Amino acid sequence: MSDSIIKVENLSKKFVIRHEQRERYTSLRDVMANNVKSLFSKREKKTTQEEFWALKDLNFEIKQGDRVGIIGRNGAGKSTLLKVLSRIVEPTTGRVELNGRVSSLLEVGTGFHPELTGRENIFLNGAILGMSRAEIRSKFDEIVAFAEVEKFLDTPVKRYSSGMYVRLAFAVAAHLEPEILIVDEVLAVGDAQFQKKCLGKMEDVSKNEGRTVLFVSHQMDAIEMLTQKCIYLQNGKMLLFDHTKSTIDSYTKTSVSDFDITKETDRSGTGKARIISLDVYNKNRERVTTIRQGQVFEVVVGVECKSELVFDISFVLEDYKGGAIFCTHFSDSLEPISKLGNAEFQFLVDVPYLRQGEYNFSMALFRPDKTEFYDVLLHKRIITVDGIDDQGMFPTDNRWGNLFFPIKWRVN
């Protein structure tokens, strides 16, 4: 008999996207005329529909006690897969076999009734998992202590902040003894200390209690810290299911390094100003996506303003796990700028001790008082540092850290 607690065979999920063609402008006269016409004849709306396969032909098995990460770019199918495994969404084809109770934390608001208090929701979730009141009571104090919401326990959860909501939701999911614990990126809502606490709890329930954990995150350091194996999804297909480190390495190498900002839709902000281009140049003013260790590079940013605005710019260089290496603001050296139309900004990244690897960036355009953000881009690929430097100063072995400093040792 197989010891798999999750078995997925030929799993696919299709969504149908409908597009309704509407006139760009309709006058009151047109509306009245169309209503009169509709009394005597049937008007057919012009609609088109498109099939979108969020998941395609997935096959894998997960054993009891495994801690599995699921990674991939936005739109890769990660959340859809978790919803299928949580029985929230039915697969279009294929089958999923689950041998145990599943507790899921997929997004803020899932699983709680907003009108019920925190106390009532704890008992409701336990009942959904098939636990008796006595079993839930035995875990109740642990849940409340972990979530740190004792003062608000008898308050309807609709009045909770997103952080409080997630703390209680995770505490319930982790403590009510499901055989399978599924957690999506929702933990990013909590503070860093709580995220660390959650990662520790997930590791504990897996190692000491033999439960299976599935964890989705864009933070590669969190994936690497918690999981043993990793599923890499791209456009709904599983490219790799292997040990976490080798899967993350493959993900970082195959992610698009030649970043085309004009095609980027995963961004936020009011849109009054937009980042319309971002290019990297080496010291010879050649556009590059890869540099050698020890080299500096220049970042050139194009900005478009749709109205006269006063704005500041921030730029964060990050490692491939999302960890910040440094942050710079336009206002560090110049006053916030007032602009209408297009403008170009340049700055030199003089960090000559970057080690080999993939590096990301996050950027934002915002009012100087930060009351409004016009455009925000997070965790996008910008540059690959590859090869040894000209002087042979950088080591080629695999050691910790993103930076290497030529520190001289002495012995007495």
mmCIF file with all atom_site columns, all heavy atoms in Angstrom, residues 6 60 62 66-70 82 85 180-184 202 212-216:
data_model
loop_
_atom_site.group_PDB
_atom_site.id
_atom_site.type_symbol
_atom_site.label_atom_id
_atom_site.label_alt_id
_atom_site.label_comp_id
_atom_site.label_asym_id
_atom_site.label_entity_id
_atom_site.label_seq_id
_atom_site.pdbx_PDB_ins_code
_atom_site.Cartn_x
_atom_site.Cartn_y
_atom_site.Cartn_z
_atom_site.occupancy
_atom_site.B_iso_or_equiv
_atom_site.pdbx_formal_charge
_atom_site.auth_seq_id
_atom_site.auth_comp_id
_atom_site.auth_asym_id
_atom_site.auth_atom_id
_atom_site.pdbx_PDB_model_num
ATOM 1   N N   . ILE A 1 6   ? -0.795 12.593 -0.274 1.00 0.00 ? 6   ILE A N   1
ATOM 2   C CA  . ILE A 1 6   ? -1.391 13.344 -1.384 1.00 0.00 ? 6   ILE A CA  1
ATOM 3   C C   . ILE A 1 6   ? -0.911 12.696 -2.681 1.00 0.00 ? 6   ILE A C   1
ATOM 4   O O   . ILE A 1 6   ? 0.284  12.506 -2.881 1.00 0.00 ? 6   ILE A O   1
ATOM 5   C CB  . ILE A 1 6   ? -0.972 14.830 -1.372 1.00 0.00 ? 6   ILE A CB  1
ATOM 6   C CG1 . ILE A 1 6   ? -1.412 15.512 -0.082 1.00 0.00 ? 6   ILE A CG1 1
ATOM 7   C CG2 . ILE A 1 6   ? -1.551 15.567 -2.580 1.00 0.00 ? 6   ILE A CG2 1
ATOM 8   C CD1 . ILE A 1 6   ? -0.907 16.941 0.050  1.00 0.00 ? 6   ILE A CD1 1
ATOM 9   N N   . PHE A 1 60  ? 2.111  14.135 -9.283 1.00 0.00 ? 60  PHE A N   1
ATOM 10  C CA  . PHE A 1 60  ? 3.119  14.064 -8.214 1.00 0.00 ? 60  PHE A CA  1
ATOM 11  C C   . PHE A 1 60  ? 2.515  13.360 -6.996 1.00 0.00 ? 60  PHE A C   1
ATOM 12  O O   . PHE A 1 60  ? 1.297  13.232 -6.860 1.00 0.00 ? 60  PHE A O   1
ATOM 13  C CB  . PHE A 1 60  ? 3.652  15.448 -7.827 1.00 0.00 ? 60  PHE A CB  1
ATOM 14  C CG  . PHE A 1 60  ? 2.605  16.410 -7.332 1.00 0.00 ? 60  PHE A CG  1
ATOM 15  C CD1 . PHE A 1 60  ? 2.216  16.433 -5.997 1.00 0.00 ? 60  PHE A CD1 1
ATOM 16  C CD2 . PHE A 1 60  ? 2.021  17.323 -8.201 1.00 0.00 ? 60  PHE A CD2 1
ATOM 17  C CE1 . PHE A 1 60  ? 1.271  17.328 -5.541 1.00 0.00 ? 60  PHE A CE1 1
ATOM 18  C CE2 . PHE A 1 60  ? 1.067  18.228 -7.748 1.00 0.00 ? 60  PHE A CE2 1
ATOM 19  C CZ  . PHE A 1 60  ? 0.690  18.229 -6.413 1.00 0.00 ? 60  PHE A CZ  1
ATOM 20  N N   . ILE A 1 62  ? 3.071  13.149 -2.584 1.00 0.00 ? 62  ILE A N   1
ATOM 21  C CA  . ILE A 1 62  ? 3.683  13.725 -1.389 1.00 0.00 ? 62  ILE A CA  1
ATOM 22  C C   . ILE A 1 62  ? 3.440  12.763 -0.233 1.00 0.00 ? 62  ILE A C   1
ATOM 23  O O   . ILE A 1 62  ? 2.314  12.300 -0.026 1.00 0.00 ? 62  ILE A O   1
ATOM 24  C CB  . ILE A 1 62  ? 3.092  15.111 -1.078 1.00 0.00 ? 62  ILE A CB  1
ATOM 25  C CG1 . ILE A 1 62  ? 3.431  16.088 -2.214 1.00 0.00 ? 62  ILE A CG1 1
ATOM 26  C CG2 . ILE A 1 62  ? 3.618  15.645 0.250  1.00 0.00 ? 62  ILE A CG2 1
ATOM 27  C CD1 . ILE A 1 62  ? 2.763  17.437 -2.094 1.00 0.00 ? 62  ILE A CD1 1
ATOM 28  N N   . ASP A 1 66  ? 6.146  15.207 4.862  1.00 0.00 ? 66  ASP A N   1
ATOM 29  C CA  . ASP A 1 66  ? 6.936  16.028 3.934  1.00 0.00 ? 66  ASP A CA  1
ATOM 30  C C   . ASP A 1 66  ? 6.579  17.507 4.096  1.00 0.00 ? 66  ASP A C   1
ATOM 31  O O   . ASP A 1 66  ? 5.415  17.862 4.337  1.00 0.00 ? 66  ASP A O   1
ATOM 32  C CB  . ASP A 1 66  ? 6.677  15.618 2.484  1.00 0.00 ? 66  ASP A CB  1
ATOM 33  C CG  . ASP A 1 66  ? 7.408  14.351 2.088  1.00 0.00 ? 66  ASP A CG  1
ATOM 34  O OD1 . ASP A 1 66  ? 8.228  13.873 2.898  1.00 0.00 ? 66  ASP A OD1 1
ATOM 35  O OD2 . ASP A 1 66  ? 7.154  13.834 0.988  1.00 0.00 ? 66  ASP A OD2 1
ATOM 36  N N   . ARG A 1 67  ? 7.575  18.349 3.957  1.00 0.00 ? 67  ARG A N   1
ATOM 37  C CA  . ARG A 1 67  ? 7.362  19.799 3.899  1.00 0.00 ? 67  ARG A CA  1
ATOM 38  C C   . ARG A 1 67  ? 7.713  20.241 2.480  1.00 0.00 ? 67  ARG A C   1
ATOM 39  O O   . ARG A 1 67  ? 8.871  20.182 2.074  1.00 0.00 ? 67  ARG A O   1
ATOM 40  C CB  . ARG A 1 67  ? 8.233  20.529 4.925  1.00 0.00 ? 67  ARG A CB  1
ATOM 41  C CG  . ARG A 1 67  ? 7.972  20.101 6.346  1.00 0.00 ? 67  ARG A CG  1
ATOM 42  C CD  . ARG A 1 67  ? 8.701  20.958 7.370  1.00 0.00 ? 67  ARG A CD  1
ATOM 43  N NE  . ARG A 1 67  ? 10.139 20.982 7.179  1.00 0.00 ? 67  ARG A NE  1
ATOM 44  C CZ  . ARG A 1 67  ? 10.970 20.036 7.584  1.00 0.00 ? 67  ARG A CZ  1
ATOM 45  N NH1 . ARG A 1 67  ? 10.489 18.977 8.234  1.00 0.00 ? 67  ARG A NH1 1
ATOM 46  N NH2 . ARG A 1 67  ? 12.266 20.126 7.393  1.00 0.00 ? 67  ARG A NH2 1
ATOM 47  N N   . VAL A 1 68  ? 6.688  20.657 1.730  1.00 0.00 ? 68  VAL A N   1
ATOM 48  C CA  . VAL A 1 68  ? 6.851  20.912 0.295  1.00 0.00 ? 68  VAL A CA  1
ATOM 49  C C   . VAL A 1 68  ? 6.553  22.372 -0.010 1.00 0.00 ? 68  VAL A C   1
ATOM 50  O O   . VAL A 1 68  ? 5.489  22.892 0.358  1.00 0.00 ? 68  VAL A O   1
ATOM 51  C CB  . VAL A 1 68  ? 5.921  19.997 -0.534 1.00 0.00 ? 68  VAL A CB  1
ATOM 52  C CG1 . VAL A 1 68  ? 6.064  20.295 -2.020 1.00 0.00 ? 68  VAL A CG1 1
ATOM 53  C CG2 . VAL A 1 68  ? 6.226  18.530 -0.248 1.00 0.00 ? 68  VAL A CG2 1
ATOM 54  N N   . GLY A 1 69  ? 7.474  23.037 -0.684 1.00 0.00 ? 69  GLY A N   1
ATOM 55  C CA  . GLY A 1 69  ? 7.263  24.401 -1.157 1.00 0.00 ? 69  GLY A CA  1
ATOM 56  C C   . GLY A 1 69  ? 6.707  24.380 -2.576 1.00 0.00 ? 69  GLY A C   1
ATOM 57  O O   . GLY A 1 69  ? 6.941  23.426 -3.334 1.00 0.00 ? 69  GLY A O   1
ATOM 58  N N   . ILE A 1 70  ? 5.957  25.408 -2.927 1.00 0.00 ? 70  ILE A N   1
ATOM 59  C CA  . ILE A 1 70  ? 5.446  25.564 -4.297 1.00 0.00 ? 70  ILE A CA  1
ATOM 60  C C   . ILE A 1 70  ? 5.828  26.962 -4.758 1.00 0.00 ? 70  ILE A C   1
ATOM 61  O O   . ILE A 1 70  ? 5.441  27.957 -4.139 1.00 0.00 ? 70  ILE A O   1
ATOM 62  C CB  . ILE A 1 70  ? 3.920  25.379 -4.362 1.00 0.00 ? 70  ILE A CB  1
ATOM 63  C CG1 . ILE A 1 70  ? 3.532  24.003 -3.812 1.00 0.00 ? 70  ILE A CG1 1
ATOM 64  C CG2 . ILE A 1 70  ? 3.426  25.527 -5.791 1.00 0.00 ? 70  ILE A CG2 1
ATOM 65  C CD1 . ILE A 1 70  ? 2.039  23.766 -3.734 1.00 0.00 ? 70  ILE A CD1 1
ATOM 66  N N   . LEU A 1 82  ? -3.478 24.962 -4.855 1.00 0.00 ? 82  LEU A N   1
ATOM 67  C CA  . LEU A 1 82  ? -3.837 24.847 -3.444 1.00 0.00 ? 82  LEU A CA  1
ATOM 68  C C   . LEU A 1 82  ? -5.348 24.794 -3.256 1.00 0.00 ? 82  LEU A C   1
ATOM 69  O O   . LEU A 1 82  ? -5.853 24.082 -2.389 1.00 0.00 ? 82  LEU A O   1
ATOM 70  C CB  . LEU A 1 82  ? -3.263 26.029 -2.651 1.00 0.00 ? 82  LEU A CB  1
ATOM 71  C CG  . LEU A 1 82  ? -1.736 26.112 -2.549 1.00 0.00 ? 82  LEU A CG  1
ATOM 72  C CD1 . LEU A 1 82  ? -1.340 27.107 -1.476 1.00 0.00 ? 82  LEU A CD1 1
ATOM 73  C CD2 . LEU A 1 82  ? -1.115 24.761 -2.248 1.00 0.00 ? 82  LEU A CD2 1
ATOM 74  N N   . LEU A 1 85  ? -6.453 21.280 -4.091 1.00 0.00 ? 85  LEU A N   1
ATOM 75  C CA  . LEU A 1 85  ? -6.083 20.369 -3.007 1.00 0.00 ? 85  LEU A CA  1
ATOM 76  C C   . LEU A 1 85  ? -6.932 20.604 -1.759 1.00 0.00 ? 85  LEU A C   1
ATOM 77  O O   . LEU A 1 85  ? -7.149 19.675 -0.973 1.00 0.00 ? 85  LEU A O   1
ATOM 78  C CB  . LEU A 1 85  ? -4.601 20.532 -2.661 1.00 0.00 ? 85  LEU A CB  1
ATOM 79  C CG  . LEU A 1 85  ? -3.600 20.150 -3.754 1.00 0.00 ? 85  LEU A CG  1
ATOM 80  C CD1 . LEU A 1 85  ? -2.174 20.406 -3.293 1.00 0.00 ? 85  LEU A CD1 1
ATOM 81  C CD2 . LEU A 1 85  ? -3.776 18.686 -4.162 1.00 0.00 ? 85  LEU A CD2 1
ATOM 82  N N   . ILE A 1 180 ? -2.908 17.408 6.971  1.00 0.00 ? 180 ILE A N   1
ATOM 83  C CA  . ILE A 1 180 ? -2.304 18.195 5.886  1.00 0.00 ? 180 ILE A CA  1
ATOM 84  C C   . ILE A 1 180 ? -2.564 19.674 6.150  1.00 0.00 ? 180 ILE A C   1
ATOM 85  O O   . ILE A 1 180 ? -3.709 20.095 6.293  1.00 0.00 ? 180 ILE A O   1
ATOM 86  C CB  . ILE A 1 180 ? -2.913 17.806 4.520  1.00 0.00 ? 180 ILE A CB  1
ATOM 87  C CG1 . ILE A 1 180 ? -2.729 16.306 4.254  1.00 0.00 ? 180 ILE A CG1 1
ATOM 88  C CG2 . ILE A 1 180 ? -2.275 18.619 3.395  1.00 0.00 ? 180 ILE A CG2 1
ATOM 89  C CD1 . ILE A 1 180 ? -3.561 15.785 3.079  1.00 0.00 ? 180 ILE A CD1 1
ATOM 90  N N   . LEU A 1 181 ? -1.492 20.459 6.237  1.00 0.00 ? 181 LEU A N   1
ATOM 91  C CA  . LEU A 1 181 ? -1.599 21.905 6.465  1.00 0.00 ? 181 LEU A CA  1
ATOM 92  C C   . LEU A 1 181 ? -1.153 22.628 5.196  1.00 0.00 ? 181 LEU A C   1
ATOM 93  O O   . LEU A 1 181 ? -0.027 22.437 4.723  1.00 0.00 ? 181 LEU A O   1
ATOM 94  C CB  . LEU A 1 181 ? -0.719 22.326 7.646  1.00 0.00 ? 181 LEU A CB  1
ATOM 95  C CG  . LEU A 1 181 ? -0.657 23.822 7.974  1.00 0.00 ? 181 LEU A CG  1
ATOM 96  C CD1 . LEU A 1 181 ? -2.037 24.362 8.327  1.00 0.00 ? 181 LEU A CD1 1
ATOM 97  C CD2 . LEU A 1 181 ? 0.327  24.084 9.110  1.00 0.00 ? 181 LEU A CD2 1
ATOM 98  N N   . ILE A 1 182 ? -2.051 23.451 4.639  1.00 0.00 ? 182 ILE A N   1
ATOM 99  C CA  . ILE A 1 182 ? -1.773 24.166 3.388  1.00 0.00 ? 182 ILE A CA  1
ATOM 100 C C   . ILE A 1 182 ? -1.771 25.667 3.668  1.00 0.00 ? 182 ILE A C   1
ATOM 101 O O   . ILE A 1 182 ? -2.752 26.209 4.176  1.00 0.00 ? 182 ILE A O   1
ATOM 102 C CB  . ILE A 1 182 ? -2.831 23.830 2.320  1.00 0.00 ? 182 ILE A CB  1
ATOM 103 C CG1 . ILE A 1 182 ? -2.759 22.332 1.966  1.00 0.00 ? 182 ILE A CG1 1
ATOM 104 C CG2 . ILE A 1 182 ? -2.646 24.682 1.080  1.00 0.00 ? 182 ILE A CG2 1
ATOM 105 C CD1 . ILE A 1 182 ? -3.818 21.879 0.977  1.00 0.00 ? 182 ILE A CD1 1
ATOM 106 N N   . VAL A 1 183 ? -0.672 26.335 3.348  1.00 0.00 ? 183 VAL A N   1
ATOM 107 C CA  . VAL A 1 183 ? -0.529 27.765 3.653  1.00 0.00 ? 183 VAL A CA  1
ATOM 108 C C   . VAL A 1 183 ? -0.063 28.503 2.400  1.00 0.00 ? 183 VAL A C   1
ATOM 109 O O   . VAL A 1 183 ? 0.958  28.161 1.809  1.00 0.00 ? 183 VAL A O   1
ATOM 110 C CB  . VAL A 1 183 ? 0.474  27.997 4.798  1.00 0.00 ? 183 VAL A CB  1
ATOM 111 C CG1 . VAL A 1 183 ? 0.597  29.485 5.100  1.00 0.00 ? 183 VAL A CG1 1
ATOM 112 C CG2 . VAL A 1 183 ? 0.047  27.247 6.054  1.00 0.00 ? 183 VAL A CG2 1
ATOM 113 N N   . ASP A 1 184 ? -0.825 29.532 2.022  1.00 0.00 ? 184 ASP A N   1
ATOM 114 C CA  . ASP A 1 184 ? -0.469 30.355 0.864  1.00 0.00 ? 184 ASP A CA  1
ATOM 115 C C   . ASP A 1 184 ? 0.311  31.578 1.332  1.00 0.00 ? 184 ASP A C   1
ATOM 116 O O   . ASP A 1 184 ? 0.611  31.740 2.511  1.00 0.00 ? 184 ASP A O   1
ATOM 117 C CB  . ASP A 1 184 ? -1.733 30.770 0.109  1.00 0.00 ? 184 ASP A CB  1
ATOM 118 C CG  . ASP A 1 184 ? -1.472 31.090 -1.362 1.00 0.00 ? 184 ASP A CG  1
ATOM 119 O OD1 . ASP A 1 184 ? -0.298 31.289 -1.716 1.00 0.00 ? 184 ASP A OD1 1
ATOM 120 O OD2 . ASP A 1 184 ? -2.429 31.148 -2.147 1.00 0.00 ? 184 ASP A OD2 1
ATOM 121 N N   . MET A 1 202 ? 5.258  25.456 11.699 1.00 0.00 ? 202 MET A N   1
ATOM 122 C CA  . MET A 1 202 ? 5.077  24.510 10.600 1.00 0.00 ? 202 MET A CA  1
ATOM 123 C C   . MET A 1 202 ? 6.162  23.443 10.604 1.00 0.00 ? 202 MET A C   1
ATOM 124 O O   . MET A 1 202 ? 5.906  22.264 10.347 1.00 0.00 ? 202 MET A O   1
ATOM 125 C CB  . MET A 1 202 ? 5.037  25.256 9.262  1.00 0.00 ? 202 MET A CB  1
ATOM 126 C CG  . MET A 1 202 ? 3.748  26.021 9.040  1.00 0.00 ? 202 MET A CG  1
ATOM 127 S SD  . MET A 1 202 ? 3.561  26.666 7.353  1.00 0.00 ? 202 MET A SD  1
ATOM 128 C CE  . MET A 1 202 ? 4.618  28.097 7.404  1.00 0.00 ? 202 MET A CE  1
ATOM 129 N N   . THR A 1 212 ? 1.901  16.803 7.178  1.00 0.00 ? 212 THR A N   1
ATOM 130 C CA  . THR A 1 212 ? 2.398  17.254 5.878  1.00 0.00 ? 212 THR A CA  1
ATOM 131 C C   . THR A 1 212 ? 2.094  18.738 5.709  1.00 0.00 ? 212 THR A C   1
ATOM 132 O O   . THR A 1 212 ? 0.989  19.190 6.025  1.00 0.00 ? 212 THR A O   1
ATOM 133 C CB  . THR A 1 212 ? 1.728  16.455 4.751  1.00 0.00 ? 212 THR A CB  1
ATOM 134 O OG1 . THR A 1 212 ? 2.021  15.064 4.946  1.00 0.00 ? 212 THR A OG1 1
ATOM 135 C CG2 . THR A 1 212 ? 2.227  16.895 3.385  1.00 0.00 ? 212 THR A CG2 1
ATOM 136 N N   . VAL A 1 213 ? 3.067  19.500 5.219  1.00 0.00 ? 213 VAL A N   1
ATOM 137 C CA  . VAL A 1 213 ? 2.913  20.940 5.044  1.00 0.00 ? 213 VAL A CA  1
ATOM 138 C C   . VAL A 1 213 ? 3.174  21.304 3.588  1.00 0.00 ? 213 VAL A C   1
ATOM 139 O O   . VAL A 1 213 ? 4.191  20.904 3.007  1.00 0.00 ? 213 VAL A O   1
ATOM 140 C CB  . VAL A 1 213 ? 3.887  21.729 5.954  1.00 0.00 ? 213 VAL A CB  1
ATOM 141 C CG1 . VAL A 1 213 ? 3.779  23.227 5.682  1.00 0.00 ? 213 VAL A CG1 1
ATOM 142 C CG2 . VAL A 1 213 ? 3.609  21.442 7.421  1.00 0.00 ? 213 VAL A CG2 1
ATOM 143 N N   . LEU A 1 214 ? 2.232  22.055 2.995  1.00 0.00 ? 214 LEU A N   1
ATOM 144 C CA  . LEU A 1 214 ? 2.418  22.645 1.665  1.00 0.00 ? 214 LEU A CA  1
ATOM 145 C C   . LEU A 1 214 ? 2.458  24.152 1.836  1.00 0.00 ? 214 LEU A C   1
ATOM 146 O O   . LEU A 1 214 ? 1.549  24.735 2.438  1.00 0.00 ? 214 LEU A O   1
ATOM 147 C CB  . LEU A 1 214 ? 1.281  22.261 0.716  1.00 0.00 ? 214 LEU A CB  1
ATOM 148 C CG  . LEU A 1 214 ? 1.447  20.974 -0.099 1.00 0.00 ? 214 LEU A CG  1
ATOM 149 C CD1 . LEU A 1 214 ? 1.459  19.767 0.823  1.00 0.00 ? 214 LEU A CD1 1
ATOM 150 C CD2 . LEU A 1 214 ? 0.349  20.839 -1.126 1.00 0.00 ? 214 LEU A CD2 1
ATOM 151 N N   . PHE A 1 215 ? 3.490  24.788 1.305  1.00 0.00 ? 215 PHE A N   1
ATOM 152 C CA  . PHE A 1 215 ? 3.729  26.202 1.578  1.00 0.00 ? 215 PHE A CA  1
ATOM 153 C C   . PHE A 1 215 ? 4.064  26.938 0.287  1.00 0.00 ? 215 PHE A C   1
ATOM 154 O O   . PHE A 1 215 ? 4.997  26.575 -0.421 1.00 0.00 ? 215 PHE A O   1
ATOM 155 C CB  . PHE A 1 215 ? 4.878  26.327 2.583  1.00 0.00 ? 215 PHE A CB  1
ATOM 156 C CG  . PHE A 1 215 ? 5.224  27.742 2.967  1.00 0.00 ? 215 PHE A CG  1
ATOM 157 C CD1 . PHE A 1 215 ? 4.242  28.657 3.311  1.00 0.00 ? 215 PHE A CD1 1
ATOM 158 C CD2 . PHE A 1 215 ? 6.551  28.146 2.994  1.00 0.00 ? 215 PHE A CD2 1
ATOM 159 C CE1 . PHE A 1 215 ? 4.566  29.955 3.670  1.00 0.00 ? 215 PHE A CE1 1
ATOM 160 C CE2 . PHE A 1 215 ? 6.888  29.443 3.365  1.00 0.00 ? 215 PHE A CE2 1
ATOM 161 C CZ  . PHE A 1 215 ? 5.894  30.353 3.699  1.00 0.00 ? 215 PHE A CZ  1
ATOM 162 N N   . VAL A 1 216 ? 3.266  27.976 -0.029 1.00 0.00 ? 216 VAL A N   1
ATOM 163 C CA  . VAL A 1 216 ? 3.521  28.833 -1.193 1.00 0.00 ? 216 VAL A CA  1
ATOM 164 C C   . VAL A 1 216 ? 4.084  30.160 -0.696 1.00 0.00 ? 216 VAL A C   1
ATOM 165 O O   . VAL A 1 216 ? 3.539  30.767 0.225  1.00 0.00 ? 216 VAL A O   1
ATOM 166 C CB  . VAL A 1 216 ? 2.232  29.084 -1.994 1.00 0.00 ? 216 VAL A CB  1
ATOM 167 C CG1 . VAL A 1 216 ? 2.411  30.259 -2.949 1.00 0.00 ? 216 VAL A CG1 1
ATOM 168 C CG2 . VAL A 1 216 ? 1.852  27.846 -2.780 1.00 0.00 ? 216 VAL A CG2 1
#
